[in-house]
Amino acid sequence: MSLRLPFQGRWKLGRKNSLGGSSQLPKQDYEALRERCLMEGRLFEDDSFPASLSSVGSGPLLRKLPPGLQWRRPPELHSNPQFYSANAKRLDLCQGVVGDCWFLAALQALTLHQDILSRVVPLNQNFTEKYAGIFQFWFWHFGKWVPVVIDDRLPVNAAGQLVFVSSTDKHLFWGALLEKAYAKLSGSYEDLQHGQVSEALVDFTGGVTMTIKPAEAPGNLWDILTRATYSRTLIGCQTHSGERVLENGLVGGHAYTLTGIRKVTCKHGPEYLVKLRNPWGKVEWKGDWSDSSSMWELLSPKEKILLLRKSDDGEFWMTLRDFKAHFMLLVICKLIPGLLNQEVGRRWACTMQEGKWEKGSTAGGRMKSPRDTFWKNPQFLLCVWSPQEGRSFPMPCSVLVSLLQKPRHRHRNRKPHLAIGFYLFRLSKYYGDQRRLPPEFFWKNAPLSWPEAFLTEKEVSRELQLEPGTYLIVPCTSEAGRESEFLLRVFSRKHIFHEIGCSVSAVFSKEIVDQNEGQDEFFTKLFEKYPEINAVQLQKILNHMTWSSLGSTQPLFSLDACQGILALLDLNASGTVSIQEFRDLWKQLMLYQEVFHKHNSNQSGYLNRTQLRAAMRDAGIVLSDDVCLLMLIRYGGPNLQIDFVSFVHLMLRVENMEDAFQNLTQDGKGIYLQKPEWLMMTLYS
């Protein structure tokens, strides 16, 4: 487990305790190394991270290793090893002897978003075509995406079982290899023993991490989770300190992944549930709404069947109320800052500036007295504009400032961080293009924002509401003369940001493209008008949507098709869908649109038998050829081709049936249903 407790702030722009810069990683050209190995007929061996105890570490982790430790490649461990499988519906990973639950919780969250996963894990790698025992991964490292190259030798025990991360699908090895790459980036496997979920989340995305104390959470926490789960976010959480399994089944001082939320309708009223997963792949919550809880009997048979999976796989449901009582931290990593703040207008933009504190010149320390050396610190000019130009009374601008200090040692846990912070001043006049504002400025002007405490953290950040204008940001260490490099990031809707006296007059911001831009406003307006949507309203919504990937062949949803879709989504037999159910549908529709467009190569608006199987495989569904033919007969036209509307209906039905089977089966071969459950599942779906 070994979680390091973070400083609590409103917004956290992810901590990254990795190497002290990509320059400390060996420069390895993945393509050149692989081609050389193929030409020489040998498998790659990475001398910079060898298959030896030096890569494991030199501390307490060595005592956890099994006797007879060996290093083996996946083809030596399985007859049919696969790097990654898009067909695996559940990419569950299990923690090994390394105390890196924080890393595994973040990694499990990564698997819920294949587009983000594929940025970190190139999914076209394999153990067959041009296999040379070499693999590559990408991490966001101090403002840049950097590649990490490894060989595929993994530590195993005498029985050939992986000692560190493994997959529940024993033939999949992407998780174990990714952990090895992250260990190399961090210095060793030992250096993964302590950390926070937010560190790994940011290393996987370069995004913005919001940290919330559930016990002190705002009243709209459920709304925040709802927006987060349908957006491109990764969510983790941590229990209160301690390192033992509690009577309620939770593990103290442990990180979990939040994998879903659900508002269910009980006989006594609504209940708000969250679904969590233990990185161990076992040991679950034993309270209300756990796998064996009687609370499930309060739901309709269909809702119970599709939500409850009785399996000791580490995944479980609990109420939001219990979550707030038993979890210390909730960490939401989003690729754009606007989650709590519902400011509309221009897209978010980000600017990054690197700097350093040097003893004798720019390491001025904190503000202590009018005659101190604070003015010597690096100084950055920030000009902020309102995204809603032309208003008589400009609204304050949301600005997020993040200061990250560069690690000072090859091993992420070897050298402690400095205590850092930053000050913000308002500028009312132009002081010229000097290296630094003179000491007199700081004697006469009080800061608008200052550190409440200087923190020995990788990153400190603050969300600010600023009037349009010009400001000065001064990052510093708590004591003068302390040396380090840093990265300063600013997020806002519209700004210019640069270091005073820098050779470049201004560094313009980079726009952050959000694929879900405008969706939250759309959902809010829609459900203000219709809190619950029936089939007629669903038909109007779907037929007024613009299906951008489908080109000129825009689908037309019939009332019958919408009644069928609604029946699949309506778990509580109300005849309507809620905003949460519609958001779930929206995410699925976006995926179905992409795979349909990809395989509709002739732009006819239809898929044939071969194209249908390929499209379903890309969406994670594998059907036999016989079943696929039956689906074309049932959902397609006389020429055995299927249009997009029928494809949506088919995919939703198949996913429902797959979930029902997996939740009900005890042996993976069959299921038992009572007659009312059978009728509900087969007739109303």
Side-chain angles (χ1 to χ4, degrees):
M1 292 176 281
S2 301
L3 297 175
R4 182 167 52 245
L5 299 183
F7 163 73
Q8 300 304 306
R10 291 183 63 195
W11 276 91
K12 293 288 184 182
L13 261 154
R15 297 181 179 81
K16 263 191 83 292
N17 289 347
S18 304
L19 308 182
S22 58
S23 61
Q24 295 190 18
L25 278 174
K27 293 183 178 180
Q28 295 172 296
D29 187 321
Y30 168 75
E31 294 292 345
L33 288 170
R34 186 175 68 161
E35 289 303 318
R36 182 175 177 181
C37 288
L38 291 172
M39 287 179 59
E40 297 176 357
R42 62 180 179 86
L43 297 179
F44 176 64
E45 294 186 0
D46 185 10
D47 294 335
S48 65
F49 200 68
S52 68
L53 292 182
S54 65
S55 296
V56 174
S58 58
L61 180 58
L62 293 178
R63 296 194 293 270
K64 297 182 181 180
L65 298 179
L69 183 76
Q70 306 172 51
W71 296 76
R72 294 287 182 267
R73 299 181 189 269
E76 299 175 288
L77 301 175
H78 198 280
S79 59
N80 182 32
Q82 293 184 34
F83 177 70
Y84 173 86
S85 173
N87 299 332
K89 290 294 291 180
R90 297 171 61 82
L91 299 174
D92 289 344
L93 303 169
C94 299
Q95 185 179 341
V97 301
V98 180
D100 60 354
C101 61
W102 58 277
F103 166 74
L104 262 293
L107 185 53
Q108 184 67 40
L110 190 66
T111 68
L112 303 178
H113 302 274
Q114 185 154 328
D115 61 329
I116 306 176
L117 176 68
S118 61
R119 181 70 178 86
V120 177
V121 184
L123 301 178
N124 58 349
Q125 302 178 96
N126 58 68
F127 298 102
T128 52
E129 184 181 355
K130 291 188 175 182
Y131 169 65
I134 183 172
F135 290 83
Q136 179 174 245
F137 300 87
W138 291 82
F139 301 100
W140 190 88
H141 182 63
F142 200 63
K144 301 180 180 68
W145 283 96
V146 297
V148 177
V149 174
I150 58 167
D151 65 39
D152 62 350
R153 294 176 293 177
L154 298 168
V156 299
N157 61 20
Q161 299 170 323
L162 292 173
V163 173
F164 301 144
V165 165
S166 62
S167 174
T168 52
D169 293 319
K170 297 303 180 184
H171 68 296
L172 297 180
F173 290 92
W174 72 273
L177 293 171
L178 176 60
E179 183 190 42
K180 181 176 182 178
Y182 198 63
K184 179 178 178 178
L185 182 72
S186 301
S188 70
Y189 282 100
E190 180 82 44
D191 285 283
L192 302 184
Q193 285 274 77
H194 306 281
Q196 299 170 35
V197 177
S198 58
E199 299 177 30
L201 289 177
V202 173
D203 285 345
F204 294 152
T205 65
V208 179
T209 305
M210 180 174 68
T211 302
I212 298 173
K213 286 183 177 180
E216 303 171 7
N220 65 338
L221 179 59
W222 182 257
D223 294 333
I224 293 172
L225 287 174
T226 300
R227 288 197 297 271
T229 51
Y230 88 84
S231 303
R232 297 171 72 233
T233 59
L234 291 79
I235 309 176
C237 49
Q238 297 178 11
T239 53
H240 294 282
S241 59
E243 293 197 4
R244 63 185 180 88
V245 179
L246 306 175
E247 289 185 6
N248 60 21
L250 296 178
V251 183
H254 196 48
Y256 290 77
T257 308
L258 193 148
T259 59
I261 64 172
R262 188 81 196 184
K263 177 184 175 183
V264 297
T265 304
C266 303
K267 296 173 183 177
H268 58 73
E271 190 72 81
Y272 299 89
L273 305 181
V274 296
K275 184 162 63 170
L276 306 171
R277 186 177 187 275
N278 184 345
W280 290 355
K282 57 184 179 181
V283 184
E284 300 179 4
W285 164 250
K286 297 178 181 178
D288 286 350
W289 298 97
S290 62
D291 287 3
S292 58
S293 171
S294 61
M295 301 296 289
W296 291 101
E297 302 307 318
L298 300 175
L299 303 185
S300 71
K302 182 178 180 181
E303 196 163 24
K304 174 186 173 183
I305 288 171
L306 290 175
L307 295 181
L308 174 61
R309 178 173 299 189
K310 291 186 177 181
S311 173
D312 186 22
D313 56 2
E315 195 165 40
F316 56 87
W317 292 93
M318 71 186 330
T319 65
L320 182 64
R321 181 175 56 257
D322 283 332
F323 175 78
K324 292 169 71 173
H326 295 289
F327 281 79
M328 180 183 68
L329 291 178
L330 172 66
V331 183
I332 302 175
C333 182
K334 190 169 170 60
L335 299 193
I336 63 168
L339 183 62
L340 283 181
N341 187 291
Q342 295 301 295
E343 179 183 71
V344 297
R346 295 168 60 100
R347 288 175 172 170
W348 284 89
C350 173
T351 307
M352 294 186 290
Q353 286 275 275
E354 294 189 38
K356 62 176 63 177
W357 297 294
E358 293 182 295
K359 187 175 182 179
S361 59
T362 60
R366 73 170 86 185
M367 289 186 75
K368 292 182 178 179
S369 67
R371 305 295 175 182
D372 60 21
T373 58
F374 174 76
W375 64 276
K376 292 186 176 182
N377 287 299
Q379 299 173 8
F380 295 85
L381 199 68
L382 172 65
C383 299
V384 180
W385 290 274
S386 171
Q388 299 167 316
E389 297 175 2
R391 294 177 62 107
S392 302
F393 303 98
M395 299 291 289
C397 307
S398 294
V399 179
L400 181 59
V401 180
S402 166
L403 173 64
L404 300 97
Q405 59 178 309
K406 191 172 182 178
R408 299 182 295 154
H409 197 278
R410 170 72 175 82
H411 293 264
R412 64 185 287 275
N413 285 331
R414 292 278 180 89
K415 204 166 187 178
H417 297 307
L418 300 177
I420 61 172
F422 60 85
Y423 293 78
L424 180 84
F425 298 84
R426 179 73 185 259
L427 294 183
S428 57
K429 68 174 185 176
Y430 181 64
Y431 281 84
D433 193 22
Q434 305 173 53
R435 177 61 181 171
R436 303 180 187 90
L437 267 67
E440 292 80 8
F441 172 83
F442 302 101
W443 302 346
K444 299 175 181 178
N445 295 275
L448 287 181
S449 175
W450 59 91
E452 294 180 4
F454 280 80
L455 305 170
T456 54
E457 298 287 343
K458 173 65 179 177
E459 177 268 347
V460 294
S461 63
R462 179 168 294 183
E463 184 185 20
L464 304 163
Q465 295 293 319
L466 302 179
E467 298 292 335
T470 304
Y471 298 85
L472 182 74
I473 300 175
V474 183
C476 62
T477 58
S478 63
E479 300 297 331
R482 305 302 301 274
E483 293 191 323
S484 183
E485 297 178 55
F486 62 83
L487 178 71
L488 194 59
R489 295 197 287 177
V490 171
F491 295 83
S492 81
R493 297 288 186 174
K494 188 178 181 182
H495 67 266
I496 294 179
F497 176 58
H498 68 95
E499 185 173 0
I500 295 178
C502 182
S503 57
V504 179
S505 59
V507 178
F508 290 92
S509 54
K510 180 180 179 181
E511 192 173 72
I512 302 173
V513 178
D514 179 20
Q515 294 181 350
N516 298 309
E517 185 177 22
Q519 287 184 19
D520 194 62
E521 186 178 358
F522 165 71
F523 288 136
T524 301
K525 288 182 178 179
L526 176 65
F527 282 88
E528 282 177 355
K529 187 175 182 181
Y530 305 115
E532 298 281 334
I533 290 180
N534 60 31
V536 173
Q537 293 157 345
L538 180 62
Q539 181 187 22
K540 290 180 180 178
I541 294 167
L542 296 182
N543 284 334
H544 279 85
M545 287 174 57
T546 300
W547 303 88
S548 55
S549 295
L550 301 182
S552 58
T553 312
Q554 292 293 295
L556 185 65
F557 287 80
S558 67
L559 179 60
D560 181 63
C562 291
Q563 288 172 327
I565 291 172
L566 186 142
L568 290 165
L569 300 176
D570 180 20
L571 302 190
N572 60 1
S574 65
T576 60
V577 294
S578 66
I579 184 170
Q580 182 186 347
E581 291 164 331
F582 184 78
R583 279 173 161 155
D584 292 340
L585 172 63
W586 181 282
K587 287 182 70 172
Q588 290 172 296
L589 290 175
M590 295 303 102
L591 171 62
Y592 299 159
Q593 180 186 199
E594 288 179 16
V595 297
F596 188 93
H597 171 69
K598 176 182 176 182
H599 295 281
N600 180 29
S601 53
N602 59 0
Q603 303 298 308
S604 66
Y606 293 88
L607 300 181
N608 61 30
R609 187 173 177 178
T610 303
Q611 292 168 330
L612 175 61
R613 286 197 71 187
M616 295 184 76
R617 188 180 301 111
D618 278 0
I621 299 293
V622 180
L623 297 181
S624 68
D625 198 46
D626 291 342
V627 174
C628 195
L629 176 59
L630 288 175
M631 294 303 98
L632 277 175
I633 294 172
R634 164 63 180 85
Y635 292 95
N639 56 354
L640 295 183
Q641 291 189 330
I642 190 170
D643 64 13
F644 179 69
V645 174
S646 297
F647 177 72
V648 167
H649 195 185
L650 168 61
M651 289 298 299
L652 290 172
R653 188 178 180 88
V654 171
E655 296 219 34
N656 254 25
M657 294 299 103
E658 173 70 17
D659 286 344
F661 180 85
Q662 293 298 335
N663 289 350
L664 290 169
T665 185
Q666 298 296 316
D667 57 5
K669 298 178 181 179
I671 61 175
Y672 172 81
L673 280 175
Q674 296 180 5
K675 185 176 180 179
E677 296 172 333
W678 166 255
L679 293 175
M680 173 76 80
M681 291 301 300
T682 55
L683 297 180
Y684 189 54
S685 64

